[in-house]
Amino acid sequence: MDFTNLKNRKKDLLDFLKNNGYSDGRYEHVRATINWILNNNNPDWRSYDDVLVARLDAVSKSCVRDARSLVNTVYRFDVLGLMPAGNSQTSLLVKPLDCFYRHIDSQYKNLVDSYKHIALSFGTPEKTIGSDVSVLSGFLNFIESRGIYCLSEVSESIILDYFLIGNKGTSYSESCQSQLKRCFKRLESSNVEIKRLLTILPSIKFKRKNKQYLSEDEMDAIKNVLDDPNSALTYRDRSLGLLLVHTWLRRIDIVNLTFDDIDWDKEILSIVTSKTDVHTKQKMSVKVLNALWDYIENERPKSDEKFIFLTHYPPHRHINPYVLNNVFNLIFNLAEIRKKNGDKRGCHLSRHYGASMALSKGVPRHIISNAVAHSSPKSLDSYLHADLVHLKGCALSIENFPIISEVYHD
């Protein structure tokens, strides 16, 4: 790749960061990323996709998200001539899986394009199509790496290798298999070989891992932290935590809240969710509304941004969903719960707790589905595993069976 433009103009980007309120840390990280790219220029790099893959391989797992953001910043400046937008929600234009499609043979690209066209005609959501295209492109890239440029040469052993060994971004999972199956079913009518591949896709048994769900005592501890005015939480973090606990919204929908989404007089929250495009409306508690008002009046930076939640430090911009992970981690620390290595933490725990508790109290499934903005009531099936009240009702009595004393004693 030719990085002459980046080498000659890198000072413009760094000066922009310095003069527009970006932190010293961000400035140094961007500078270090530029220097890494210039010092490690590989003749095999054909695009910033390759740069990104190489950079992610060079950093630790904990730095992957930041590294992706930094490479994207340099890409936007070098290739598109764009300075940082000051908005962490800007879509990443460089994505690791994109390079699969760019590097596969033209006939395989035509196959992927055909799937996109057919899926759109069936009304498949664009996000689903994008995910399917990534998996399909990854599969085609894998078989191409084995020297196979014709689907008729794909054997069952090659397919098994794909699932067992895989490629970057793929994994041996039910999700990957189901996505490939969906793609093949859409394409089978136009390609005989695709129909054959459908018959040799492995049947992958779905495995559900035991999850460390929140207990009532843990939720009480979380609520105590949120209700304590003397806790270490800022106004913003307290309102974010209360929204997580009381609305059961996904983190992406919470950070995307705008002033227009809330009817302050009627105390109604009304949004179209990002993941499922489902419209949900719910009554907001006075506690949550008061917390939001405290943040807006006392702490939110002065800004014309339509989004409610902004970063603490300049340039003040729309926060990204990962901020909620940090907030929930802080709440867990203050509540002194889940402190052991390997203990499950995460925003989804609150959402899962709320839906599970509603199920245990006999709330109809369609009402819960509407509250959590699921596109199908079947999506609640996974929550049934935590409905201990009704699960205990399914237990069989063993009172008529003799039990030896060793069962209860060492």
Side-chain angles (χ1 to χ4, degrees):
M1 287 184 66
D2 183 4
F3 291 112
T4 303
N5 178 63
L6 179 61
K7 185 176 182 179
N8 293 338
R9 295 192 59 228
K10 66 177 184 179
K11 186 176 183 300
D12 295 341
L13 174 58
L14 296 175
D15 286 346
F16 177 88
L17 295 175
K18 183 175 291 186
N19 297 331
N20 284 272
Y22 283 83
S23 67
D24 292 341
R26 185 66 177 181
Y27 176 93
E28 287 300 323
H29 288 151
V30 172
R31 185 184 64 80
T33 301
I34 293 174
N35 289 338
W36 183 90
I37 293 173
L38 296 176
N39 294 334
N40 293 274
N41 189 0
N42 190 317
D44 293 332
W45 289 350
R46 291 175 285 179
S47 70
Y48 266 91
D49 292 306
D50 299 322
V51 175
L52 177 61
V53 171
R55 186 57 178 157
L56 296 186
D57 286 341
V59 301
S60 64
K61 189 174 181 180
S62 62
C63 297
V64 164
R65 181 165 61 90
D66 287 338
R68 182 179 291 116
S69 173
L70 289 163
V71 172
N72 187 68
T73 296
V74 177
Y75 162 77
R76 288 168 58 84
F77 170 75
D78 185 25
V79 177
L80 304 179
L82 299 174
M83 291 296 184
N87 186 343
S88 58
Q89 290 296 306
T90 301
S91 297
L92 293 180
L93 300 177
V94 180
K95 301 178 183 179
L97 285 172
D98 286 349
C99 60
F100 287 148
Y101 177 82
R102 298 185 186 190
H103 294 169
I104 58 179
D105 188 70
S106 58
Q107 65 168 335
Y108 286 159
K109 284 183 179 178
N110 291 336
L111 192 66
V112 174
D113 293 340
S114 294
Y115 169 73
K116 290 164 65 176
H117 177 74
I118 294 171
L120 282 171
S121 69
F122 274 87
T124 307
E126 290 188 12
K127 289 182 181 179
T128 302
I129 294 176
S131 178
D132 288 351
V133 163
S134 293
V135 172
L136 179 58
S137 299
F139 170 74
L140 295 172
N141 180 264
F142 177 79
I143 63 174
E144 191 175 291
S145 71
R146 296 301 182 90
I148 298 174
Y149 292 87
C150 182
L151 293 179
S152 61
E153 299 175 9
V154 178
S155 64
E156 185 174 5
S157 62
I158 291 294
I159 290 183
L160 288 176
D161 281 349
Y162 167 73
F163 283 101
L164 292 171
I165 301 172
N167 206 331
K168 288 186 183 298
T170 64
S171 62
Y172 185 77
S173 67
E174 192 226 10
S175 173
C176 184
Q177 189 264 8
S178 64
Q179 286 181 275
L180 265 184
K181 187 174 183 179
R182 180 164 56 233
C183 294
F184 288 169
K185 279 186 172 294
R186 290 281 189 254
L187 293 166
E188 64 175 331
S189 61
S190 59
N191 192 306
V192 176
E193 289 302 326
I194 289 290
K195 193 170 185 177
R196 181 183 66 85
L197 295 183
L198 260 175
T199 65
I200 58 177
L201 272 181
S203 178
I204 301 176
K205 184 177 180 181
F206 178 68
K207 295 181 180 179
R208 183 176 298 281
K209 296 180 180 179
N210 289 328
K211 295 183 179 179
Q212 191 181 7
Y213 302 122
L214 283 175
S215 67
E216 289 190 51
D217 289 341
E218 288 175 323
M219 180 53 75
D220 287 341
I222 290 172
K223 289 180 177 179
N224 287 338
V225 169
L226 292 172
D227 292 341
D228 181 6
N230 298 316
S231 70
L233 295 176
T234 63
Y235 286 120
R236 187 196 70 181
D237 293 351
R238 176 175 283 106
S239 57
L240 286 170
L242 287 170
L243 281 166
L244 278 170
V245 168
H246 291 282
T247 67
W248 310 347
L249 292 176
R250 297 180 181 89
R251 60 180 186 173
I252 182 65
D253 295 317
I254 290 177
V255 302
N256 282 342
L257 284 177
T258 69
F259 290 97
D260 293 336
D261 292 330
I262 301 175
D263 186 326
W264 297 88
D265 294 327
K266 296 181 180 179
E267 301 175 353
I268 296 292
L269 171 68
S270 179
I271 64 169
V272 175
T273 59
S274 297
K275 181 178 180 180
T276 56
D277 288 328
V278 171
H279 180 262
T280 182
K281 181 184 291 186
Q282 55 180 281
K283 184 79 171 177
M284 296 186 72
S285 69
V286 174
K287 180 187 296 185
V288 176
L289 285 171
N290 285 342
L292 279 171
W293 189 257
D294 285 340
Y295 165 63
I296 294 168
E297 286 294 303
N298 302 315
E299 188 178 271
R300 185 180 185 272
K302 301 300 180 183
S303 171
D304 294 330
E305 277 275 10
K306 65 177 180 178
F307 300 103
I308 294 177
F309 296 107
L310 304 179
T311 57
H312 285 314
Y313 303 105
H316 301 295
R317 60 194 186 274
H318 178 199
I319 64 172
N320 68 44
Y322 294 103
V323 170
L324 265 75
N325 288 358
N326 298 333
V327 170
F328 222 44
N329 266 326
L330 174 60
I331 293 172
F332 272 65
N333 290 336
L334 295 174
E336 297 187 343
I337 58 175
R338 304 279 175 108
K339 296 191 293 184
K340 297 179 181 177
N341 288 336
D343 277 349
K344 176 71 174 177
R345 292 186 174 191
C347 300
H348 193 76
L349 288 173
S350 175
R351 175 180 168 85
H352 191 285
Y353 175 86
S356 300
M357 288 300 294
L359 277 170
S360 68
K361 296 181 184 301
V363 178
R365 289 175 62 135
H366 71 276
I367 294 178
I368 302 174
S369 289
N370 181 66
V372 296
H374 280 160
S375 56
S376 168
K378 289 185 178 180
S379 299
L380 280 178
D381 288 350
S382 62
Y383 295 82
L384 294 174
H385 293 78
D387 183 6
L388 297 180
V389 173
H390 290 97
L391 284 175
K392 288 177 181 178
C394 299
L396 299 176
S397 172
I398 59 172
E399 61 182 355
N400 295 325
F401 297 90
I403 300 176
I404 58 176
S405 59
E406 284 81 358
V407 171
Y408 302 106
H409 303 285
D410 294 331

